[in-house]
């Protein structure tokens, strides 16, 4: 049986009253993963993911969108919309290489230059001590500006950015807020990330994207499968497009249909195996939680670039 948010511990609160050292890279070799899994930061993040998962159980996007949004949620959505607008001001160069338009470096340079002021404007003054602690996650949330690629590690950076803002209580760890973090904030982030991927033709990071789900993302599938728990349509329904775009899972799969040609079982073998081999959305969702931990959080090639410590305690 799925846990409701009320059955899951609350995310701890971190005080900004005392100085906190900024995060730095800790993961260099495979054995560092074992140390990472024992840290308070790792446990905080896993708890946060599970809480957000529980907050959207059985709830579609229109249902959540119709509920009241906090000022913090609205401000971050506006912030993301501003970043998306930069793409129109920084058009791609006219080169024809398959992956990686160099204009993405210009977009990234603007983000690096403006991030301190953007965060200063986004956050009320009492949260300003958190800016050097969260900036590294924001700056790595949209792709690698040198390699011109994007993968699940960049998506993880944005999730850590949101989680850190919850630790300091810019966002409140209550179901009403958490479900908007999934649908409203993360949904807008996906819109921005997809736009960057399309316009600047970002290459999938790693040898096979996000370890077999799609080329770039994971969390939309995870939280989207939570939205589908209790749904009468079986997981195999995704093999019969067009799909209803009322949950993140279907939005992710719809994008695959838009971008890829050929049989689904060939270009999306893992998703096809889930659709044909898993009997219901409860099992899909519980499997996704395990897969995310094993194939994203516990993979050195994904997390080795993350700055850890700071708000994500490395102890």
């Amino acid at each position: 049986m799925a846990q409701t948010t009320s059955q899951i511990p609350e995310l701890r609160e971190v005080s900004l009253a005392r100085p906190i050292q900024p995060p730095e890279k800790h993961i260099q070799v495979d054995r560092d993963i074992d140390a990472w899994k024992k840290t308070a930061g790792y446990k905080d993040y896993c708890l946060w993911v599970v809480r957000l998962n529980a907050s959207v159980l059985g709830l579609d996007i229109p249902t959540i969108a119709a509920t009241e949004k906090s000022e913090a949620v609205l401000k971050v959505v506006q912030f993301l919309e501003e970043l998306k607008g930069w793409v129109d001001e920084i058009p791609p160069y006219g080169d024809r290489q398959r992956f990686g338009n160099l204009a993405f470096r210009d977009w990234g340079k603007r983000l690096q230059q403006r991030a301190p002021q953007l965060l200063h404007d986004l956050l009320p003054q009492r949260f300003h001590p958190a800016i050097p602690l969260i900036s590294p996650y924001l700056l790595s949330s949209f792709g690698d500006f040198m390699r011109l690629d994007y993968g699940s590690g960049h998506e993880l950076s944005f999730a850590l950015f949101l989680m850190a803002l919850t630790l300091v209580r810019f966002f409140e760890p209550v179901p009403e807020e958490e479900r908007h973090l999934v649908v409203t904030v993360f949904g807008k982030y996906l819109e921005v990330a997809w736009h960057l991927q399309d316009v600047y033709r970002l290459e999938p990071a790693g040898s096979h994207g996000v370890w077999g789900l799609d080329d770039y993302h994971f969390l939309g599938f995870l939280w989207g499968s939570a939205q589908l728990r209790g749904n009468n349509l079986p997981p195999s329904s995704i093999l019969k497009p067009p799909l209803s775009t009322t949950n993140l899972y279907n939005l992710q799969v719809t994008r695959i249909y838009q971008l890829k040609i050929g049989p689904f079982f060939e270009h999306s073998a893992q998703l096809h195996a889930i659709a044909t081999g898993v009997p219901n959305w409860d099992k899909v969702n519980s499997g996704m939680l395990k897969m995310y931990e094993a194939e994203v959080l516990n993979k050195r090639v994904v997390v080795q670039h993350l700055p850890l410590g700071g708000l994500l305690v490395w102890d």
Side-chain angles (χ1 to χ4, degrees), residues 35-156:
W36 154 235
K37 289 160 63 176
K38 295 174 184 175
T39 65
Y42 181 91
K43 294 169 186 173
D44 284 339
Y45 181 68
C46 289
L47 173 62
W48 181 82
V49 169
V50 169
R51 284 189 60 88
L52 266 61
N53 189 76
S55 76
V56 296
L57 289 176
L59 297 175
D60 62 19
I61 290 173
T63 299
I64 297 171
T67 62
E68 186 176 357
K69 304 171 184 67
S70 70
E71 182 181 359
V73 165
L74 292 172
K75 288 183 72 173
V76 174
V77 169
Q78 184 179 13
F79 167 78
L80 290 169
E81 190 62 41
E82 180 178 352
L83 300 189
K84 183 183 177 186
W86 293 354
V87 177
D88 295 331
E89 301 169 15
I90 307 173
Y93 298 154
D95 47 16
R96 304 306 306 165
Q97 68 263 39
R98 182 184 175 197
F99 284 120
N101 192 284
L102 292 173
F104 183 55
R105 290 181 182 165
D106 298 336
W107 189 95
K109 187 178 296 183
R110 179 182 290 191
L111 180 63
Q112 291 166 339
Q113 291 171 344
R114 298 189 182 181
Q117 187 61 50
L118 287 168
L119 291 172
H120 186 276
D121 295 342
L122 172 69
L123 301 173
Q125 187 173 0
R126 67 184 183 277
F127 297 111
H128 286 179
I131 290 175
L133 307 176
I134 63 175
S135 292
Y137 301 112
L138 178 67
L139 293 176
S140 58
S141 289
F142 300 97
D144 189 288
F145 304 131
M146 293 307 297
R147 295 195 307 268
L148 308 177
D149 65 10
Y150 178 99
S152 53
H154 302 109
E155 179 188 71
L156 171 58

Side-chain angles (χ1 to χ4, degrees), residues 169-236:
R169 295 304 187 262
F170 176 69
F171 296 122
E172 291 297 327
V174 295
E176 295 80 9
E177 184 102 303
E178 290 165 332
R179 58 182 62 114
H180 274 297
L181 290 183
V182 173
V183 165
T184 307
V185 177
F186 185 74
K188 174 58 71 172
Y189 166 75
L190 282 179
E191 183 183 314
V192 177
W194 290 344
H195 194 47
L196 291 169
Q197 291 160 22
D198 292 345
V199 172
Y200 298 127
R201 298 197 302 276
L202 303 184
E203 186 172 10
S207 59
H208 54 296
V210 66
W211 309 103
L213 274 186
D214 81 353
D215 288 338
Y216 300 101
H217 294 281
F218 199 113
L219 284 171
F221 294 102
L222 193 163
W223 289 327
S225 64
Q227 292 181 274
L228 285 162
R229 290 183 83 142
N231 194 292
N232 291 328
L233 288 174
S236 59

Side-chain angles (χ1 to χ4, degrees), residues 6 9 28 67 81 97 107 132 135 153 204 225 240 246 259 271 274:
S6 62
Q28 298 177 342
T67 62
E81 190 62 41
Q97 68 263 39
W107 189 95
S135 292
S225 64
K240 301 172 184 177
T246 56
L259 294 180
L271 288 170
I274 292 168

Side-chain angles (χ1 to χ4, degrees), residues 3 18 57 96 133 148 199 225 239 249 255 269 298 305:
Q3 284 184 302
R18 295 181 179 180
L57 289 176
R96 304 306 306 165
L133 307 176
L148 308 177
V199 172
S225 64
L239 302 177
Y249 198 99
R255 180 164 168 81
N298 294 347
H305 304 294

